[in-house]
Amino acid sequence: MADLEASDAPVDALVSGLEGFGYVASRRIATALYLSLRLKKPILVEGAAGVGKTELALSTSQLLGLPLIRMQCYEGLDESRVLYEWKYAKQLLYTQLLKERVGDLLEDAPSMDDAMARLRGVGDMFFSEDFLQPRPLLQSLMSDDGCVLLIDEVDKTDEAFEALLLETLSAYQVSLPEIGVIKASTPPIVFLTSNNIRELGDALKRRCIHLSIPLPSAELESRIVEKRLPDIASQLRGELVAFVQELRHMKLRKPPSISETVEWAQSLLILHVEELGVDVVRETLNVLLKFESDIDAVEAQAGDLVRRAKATR
Amino acid sequence: MIEGKSVPLAEGPLAGFLAALRHAGLTISPASSIDAYEAVAAVGYRDRETLRDALCVTLAKSQIDEVRLEQCFDRFFSHHVETSDRAAKPRETAPTSGGGFAQLMLTGDSVMVDAQIAKAARTVGVRQVQYGFQRNILVGRILRELGMPDWDRDVAQLVDTGDDEDLAEWQATRNAVISKVKAVVDRQIDLYASNAAQQIREERLADMDIAAIRPEDRQTAIKLVRKMAKALASQHSRRRKRARRGQLDMRKTIRQAMPHEGIPFQLYWKQKSVDRPKFIVLCDVSRSVVNAAQFLLVLMYSLNEVVDQLHAFAFSDRLEDVGRLLDGDDIDVAIEQVLRKVGFGSTSYGDAFAQFDEKYMHLVDRHTSVIILGDGRNNYGDPQLDILDRIRRKSRRVVWLNPEAERSWGTGDSEMPAYQRFSSMARTCGSLNELQAVIGDMLRAPP
């Protein structure tokens, strides 16, 4: 972070820094990341499944040398899962163990009021941080040196949860009724990802830097594959990227995204394929496409597609 | 705030850009404009790409916004520096009088000339432009600001002295300035006015009687309906579950209390998932209702995000399943096909109900909302009220939308009062706004 501030071209520095950890970022991604670090704002990443949303957070945490706290969202997620819980069992156990001590303490109390006063003197020990079980959101606020907090697939949660996030993300603090306000000494770097299952609320969007990652261009995708699989021959790499780009122009239920391209490249590498052929494509399509109907549609024109992929290369 | 650096005041190019974005239909909140200022302070104006990316990530809140912002950015920051021959040619002997700007113009410093024009444009408030027809007024004002009247006096002097060469040069320079100013004003109109006019037109369309929408406005109206559908969809895709107030979920509470010796530390309330509604739409496409039917179909089909199932039927004297036709990409072509198939006949609600009863009654269940769009003018045939009654009993509700005003229900051959009795709800839907309100209500609540 300090290097970034000093750097003459911080965005370029981020691009090359991320590349060092295997993430090929476009300029826009790097700019968004830079601004989020600079303005201390969460960054909301949108895009189809498998374009590298989660990966961005992972690489950033590596680049900045910060721990990553990951929170996977699902419908019905509530406060006790994301913020904190009391360790009920431990509280109960301690009550049992301390029963006699408490008895001794209160034995010679002359009146009920007096007993209450003595108890109060002991303090609210059962609702202190000793019995607090912090969950990801609270953990990220409590880590002193900062961390990267990844809130994955935030669109799967409901409105109530969004409201909770608003409070936390705008001031980097939460208030626990029993203890008080906990404020982050170093604000975490927050990534929220969304698959566009539902539209997020305006209030949440407004508090975030908004980054949408599109499917990559052929050139970028080729670089990503190269970065991930340095062993792959450049001819095969060019052909398979061209092929995938062709697929994205077709009307498929789920067009392949970057992660599928990389997986496919990996499979071809394992199978010792030297160049793209119709048979190989047919045999390995299931790595690339996830729906039966898509596979059928592509299989029917596989020859044509391969030929075109080779020509465009 | 970024320490040590003050954010520039709401002046300068960024303020103009934000205004242009608002006119282009983006919602820019004060909070995000502050973000944008801070972002620009962080990245600077030096690198165009970075500037665009920075503005994009701070101001655009969806992918559509992003595209619009990029277009707007290109238009706004396309400050081409013209180097016309005349302006480029320096001149040693300037005329004796003529004011600062005239001198400047003749020295051929085009950057300074542009700067002067821009300054004059700001002074006369060119950003407040709202309509295309303000163009000439603004051009005149800017020219006055630049000292045009003085200038013409000088020309008159030159004519008197009879210096033809100088005169010709003056004229040419003058024309060059005028065309430059015109270009500046045009760009402003392009950025600020076109969308304002568009917005006004859309608002007017939304309130207009559907039957009165002219064919040339139809494209705009369809776009508007899609926008409405999108707004409805984003409102209603958000609520999937809602807690039923005050009903304790005993089973869950006890289950969760198990680890604590059955002591219920935490109470759980019963939740009810709000299921996505199913719709059956029956559209009268006889001449009198066809306009409203088109917009209803467009609206319903744009709602696919929040609607679980949609069956659409069109009828005039016979009933036709039009769902498949409307599944295609081009809604205009689809509607034309629907109309060709069943449109423009003389309506018989009775026959249509009978056919629906015979072939499609099995589609109706208690989750289904049935929307009937029609004027209820049955040409004095059998209204088949018992079938409508059966539909209502089997379905969640029957909503009758009538494009006619309520006072004409029941006049002439209209069976509307009878149909109204056998529907759960009957509403007029004269304008697009009313249409949106009705559908919004239906998405919102169980009856």
Side-chain angles (χ1 to χ4, degrees), chain A residues 41-54:
Chain A
K41 281 190 155 257
I43 176 167
L44 171 65
V45 195
E46 284 188 314
V51 290
K53 300 187 295 289
T54 308

Side-chain angles (χ1 to χ4, degrees), chain A residues 153-264:
Chain A
E153 309 194 346
V154 68
D155 49 337
K156 288 205 176 135
T157 58
D158 36 33
E159 279 169 308
F161 180 74
E162 228 173 72
L164 176 74
L165 276 184
L166 282 183
E167 188 203 349
T168 319
L169 295 184
S170 52
Y172 295 111
Q173 65 177 36
V174 289
S175 47
L176 315 184
E178 297 90 346
I179 291 183
V181 177
I182 292 186
K183 193 170 168 50
S185 54
T186 315
I189 296 156
V190 184
F191 288 85
L192 300 120
T193 76
S194 156
N195 282 337
N196 278 326
I197 290 192
R198 71 175 172 86
E199 194 90 353
L200 293 171
D202 283 342
L204 185 63
K205 280 189 170 179
R206 211 173 48 230
R207 277 169 180 77
C208 296
I209 297 221
H210 187 270
L211 171 69
S212 61
I213 304 184
L215 290 169
S217 63
E219 188 252 346
L220 190 63
E221 189 159 34
S222 176
R223 267 174 56 209
I224 295 171
V225 174
E226 186 185 5
K227 199 84 215 165
R228 286 299 165 89
L229 305 164
D231 296 340
I232 200 161
S234 77
Q235 189 197 345
L236 177 60
R237 192 179 72 224
E239 282 172 8
L240 74 90
V241 167
F243 183 82
V244 173
Q245 295 272 340
E246 285 283 337
L247 287 193
R248 294 205 185 116
H249 291 304
M250 289 174 62
K251 267 198 172 171
L252 297 176
R253 263 180 84 182
K254 163 93 179 71
S257 60
I258 305 175
S259 60
E260 273 106 19
T261 313
V262 172
E263 262 168 49
W264 191 44

Side-chain angles (χ1 to χ4, degrees), chain B residues 243-249 269-270:
Chain B
R244 275 195 277 177
R245 277 206 112 79
Q247 284 202 41
L248 192 62
D249 187 343
W269 307 97
K270 271 192 182 155

Side-chain angles (χ1 to χ4, degrees), chain B residues 17-31:
Chain B
F17 183 58
L18 291 178
L21 284 181
R22 289 204 177 102
H23 284 286
L26 270 78
T27 328
I28 310 285
S29 65

Side-chain angles (χ1 to χ4, degrees), chain A residues 27-28 41 206 210 212 251, chain B residues 29 35 50 57 70 329:
Chain A
R27 298 255 332 163
R28 175 157 302 171
K41 281 190 155 257
R206 211 173 48 230
H210 187 270
S212 61
K251 267 198 172 171
Chain B
S29 65
D35 284 352
T50 314
V57 296
E70 276 174 20
D329 286 330

